[in-house]
Amino acid sequence: MTSRTCLSVILAAGEGTRMKSAMPKVLHPVAGLPMVAHVVKAAEASGADAIALVVGHGADAMRKAAEKLAPEADIFVQEKRLGTAHAVLAARAAIARGHDDILVMYGDTPLIDADVLLTAREKLANGAAVVVIGFRTDRPTGYGRLIEKDGKLAAIREEKDCTDEERRITYCNSGIMAMAGNHALALLDAVGNANAKGEYYLTDIVEIARAKGLDVVATEASFENALGINNRAELAAAEAIWQARRRRAAMLDGVTLIAPETVFFSYDTEIGPDTLVEPNVVFGPGVKIGSNVTVRGFSHFEQADVADGCQVGPYARLRPGAKLQEDVHVGNFVEVKNTTVERGAKANHLAYLGDGRVGAGANIGAGTIFCNYDGYRKFFTDIGAGAFVGSNSSLVAPVAIGDRAYVASGSVITEDVPEDALAFGRARQKTIPGKGKELRERFADAAKNKRSG
Ligand code: UD1
Ligand code: CA
């Protein structure tokens, strides 16, 4: 099986006008990843060693995006939209390279399952020339129907070409098809366009292969494999299915989700066992959470790395480049960006830690701000191990606080503080005995005179 080579042809020429978007349909994200990239990932997970992306005419945005999200893919342009077989043939040059297995999928079906593709490849390895992935539904309208004779797949009939009787069939074509590489071009080239839509139907290769005496099989999979996205309501529905699967997987992997339906993962979220996630938490792309972490409610993560034993939130925001080492505490209304917080350090309330380092065991008081930006450039704030930054301090970067140094509350620190030093960056307090009483009397008199006057 693994010795067989495999080309995956992904049809991504869909216009997607129903998305009402300036962006090509297949680039809309599910779980933070463009839907076509989900399809590419599934293909790769099933062992595809080459990817051919078929895009529509003039799809420059698509081409640019594809270079990023599937850099190894060959991109082919289908100049005119003449049907699914015609679209597959846009990748003729790739197919002609002689892969053992050819998988055809659609770029707008983000929930496609790699196991289903593997099953199709196994059937090719066992001698089938064409494998069709089917699904059963009570609402087959719009799908091609799988016509079986003597327990074998005889044809796929498009809705518009069906007889009334055929239209009642509930076994449908998912759109995923696998072909033996040595037959693929001959089958595709034999497809004509004499049908209700005047299109070159990929589905016609079933009858063509049967007529040649080749082995054609259908295999059933779940409906999600065929779930194509045409508008943003369907996009949200796919997202919901994806999230439900991911939450369940996280829980089965040992993560406690108190209210799973309120926790949102990204395609690449990593999260360790014995981590507890409270309600209303969002994991954006690029997040890695260790084990034994407590993520309290309403926290938001993006490209952040949280090591074992940390406590985060409630209401914490970890932005790109936030790195919390073991046992760090980051509390409510603390924002961390591009900053490493070393082992055991604490920033428990109301702080902005941007472009810096917080040394091991340091304590960041409430209201501490790393003033990292002068309107043009960003600067670094370095806090030494065991340092104590008093509440409501502004650290004007670039600035360094030495190990074990103290910064007095309310300071504006503009110069480096050596280790073990104490720095005040504020006016000294002045206390005048009796002056409070005198003021109070003066104000009371003024108010009385105003009322009587
Ligand atoms: C197709 C199948 C149908 C199946 C259904 C599953 C055919 C003839 N029909 O029907 O049996 O049940 O999918 O959703 O294959 N595309 C191109 N270029 C084209 C035409 C289509 O790239 O010229 C792409 C589309 O962008 C889309 C996919 O192929 O991603 C399917 O095309 P679509 O027109 O939606 O086919 P259906 O009529 O839905
Ligand atoms: Ca469709």
Side-chain angles (χ1 to χ4, degrees), residues 11-14 78 80-84 87 106-108 142-144 156 158 173-175 197 201-203 226:
L11 306 189
Q78 183 194 23
K80 276 189 191 152
R81 197 183 161 87
L82 299 180
T84 44
Y106 302 159
D108 62 356
Y143 293 105
I156 303 176
E158 291 308 298
N173 175 23
S174 70
K197 274 179 151 179
Y201 286 165
L202 174 62
T203 45

Side-chain angles (χ1 to χ4, degrees), residues 259-270:
E261 64 285 359
T262 68
V263 176
F264 294 85
F265 292 96
S266 283
Y267 69 99
D268 61 349
T269 307
E270 288 178 39

Side-chain angles (χ1 to χ4, degrees), residues 10-16 18 25-26 54-56 78 80-88 105-109 135 140 142-146 156-159 172-177 195 197 199-204 226-228 230:
I10 298 172
L11 306 189
E15 286 161 8
R18 278 180 287 164
K25 174 170 85 171
V26 297
V54 179
V55 304
Q78 183 194 23
K80 276 189 191 152
R81 197 183 161 87
L82 299 180
T84 44
H86 181 263
V88 175
M105 310 172 250
Y106 302 159
D108 62 356
T109 54
F135 68 98
Y143 293 105
R145 310 297 205 281
L146 303 193
I156 303 176
R157 196 86 74 230
E158 291 308 298
E159 169 96 15
C172 297
N173 175 23
S174 70
I176 303 168
M177 221 179 269
N195 51 54
K197 274 179 151 179
E199 284 188 1
Y200 294 88
Y201 286 165
L202 174 62
T203 45
D204 283 357
L227 190 69
N230 296 303

Side-chain angles (χ1 to χ4, degrees), residues 156-171:
I156 303 176
R157 196 86 74 230
E158 291 308 298
E159 169 96 15
K160 283 194 175 165
D161 301 300
C162 279
T163 63
D164 287 345
E165 195 188 336
E166 286 168 343
R167 215 165 274 134
R168 282 195 288 275
I169 296 172
T170 56
Y171 196 14

Side-chain angles (χ1 to χ4, degrees), residues 151-394:
K152 283 203 155 184
L153 182 63
I156 303 176
R157 196 86 74 230
E158 291 308 298
E159 169 96 15
K160 283 194 175 165
D161 301 300
C162 279
T163 63
D164 287 345
E165 195 188 336
E166 286 168 343
R167 215 165 274 134
R168 282 195 288 275
I169 296 172
T170 56
Y171 196 14
C172 297
N173 175 23
S174 70
I176 303 168
M177 221 179 269
M179 294 176 270
N182 54 341
H183 294 298
L185 283 179
L187 294 174
L188 290 165
D189 280 329
V191 172
N193 65 349
N195 51 54
K197 274 179 151 179
E199 284 188 1
Y200 294 88
Y201 286 165
L202 174 62
T203 45
D204 283 357
I205 68 168
V206 169
E207 272 172 295
I208 295 165
R210 285 298 299 266
K212 289 184 174 218
L214 296 171
D215 194 17
V216 178
V217 295
T219 172
E220 193 182 332
S222 70
F223 165 70
E224 281 91 65
N225 287 285
L227 190 69
I229 309 302
N230 296 303
N231 58 47
R232 296 192 205 225
E234 289 171 357
L235 183 68
E239 178 83 33
I241 294 171
W242 191 96
Q243 292 293 344
R245 283 183 182 174
R246 184 64 187 88
R247 290 165 188 145
R248 185 176 160 75
M251 291 186 281
L252 296 183
D253 282 345
V255 178
T256 297
L257 305 179
I258 295 169
E261 64 285 359
T262 68
V263 176
F264 294 85
F265 292 96
S266 283
Y267 69 99
D268 61 349
T269 307
E270 288 178 39
I271 184 161
D274 283 326
T275 282
L276 168 79
V277 183
E278 289 187 353
N280 298 300
V281 170
V282 176
F283 298 107
V287 174
K288 230 172 123 178
I289 309 281
S291 53
N292 286 300
V293 172
T294 301
V295 178
R296 307 201 56 200
F298 298 95
S299 294
H300 192 283
F301 300 78
E302 229 179 320
Q303 290 171 49
D305 203 331
V306 177
D308 298 350
C310 288
Q311 292 186 29
V312 180
Y315 300 97
R317 180 164 184 215
L318 269 56
R319 290 177 50 209
K323 286 200 175 61
L324 311 189
Q325 294 183 354
E326 286 79 359
D327 304 317
V328 160
H329 292 192
V330 164
N332 43 267
F333 307 108
V334 173
E335 175 177 340
V336 184
K337 186 215 74 173
N338 191 29
T339 292
T340 298
V341 184
E342 293 178 356
R343 186 184 290 263
K346 294 190 172 102
N348 274 330
H349 346 257
L350 307 164
Y352 174 57
L353 314 179
D355 301 310
R357 173 191 76 109
V358 176
N363 195 301
I364 306 294
T368 297
I369 306 292
F370 288 8
C371 306
N372 61 329
Y373 187 48
D374 63 5
Y376 297 92
R377 288 182 297 162
K378 301 276 169 72
F379 300 94
F380 196 82
T381 299
D382 191 66
I383 311 265
F388 186 98
V389 179
S391 296
N392 202 29
S393 292
S394 300

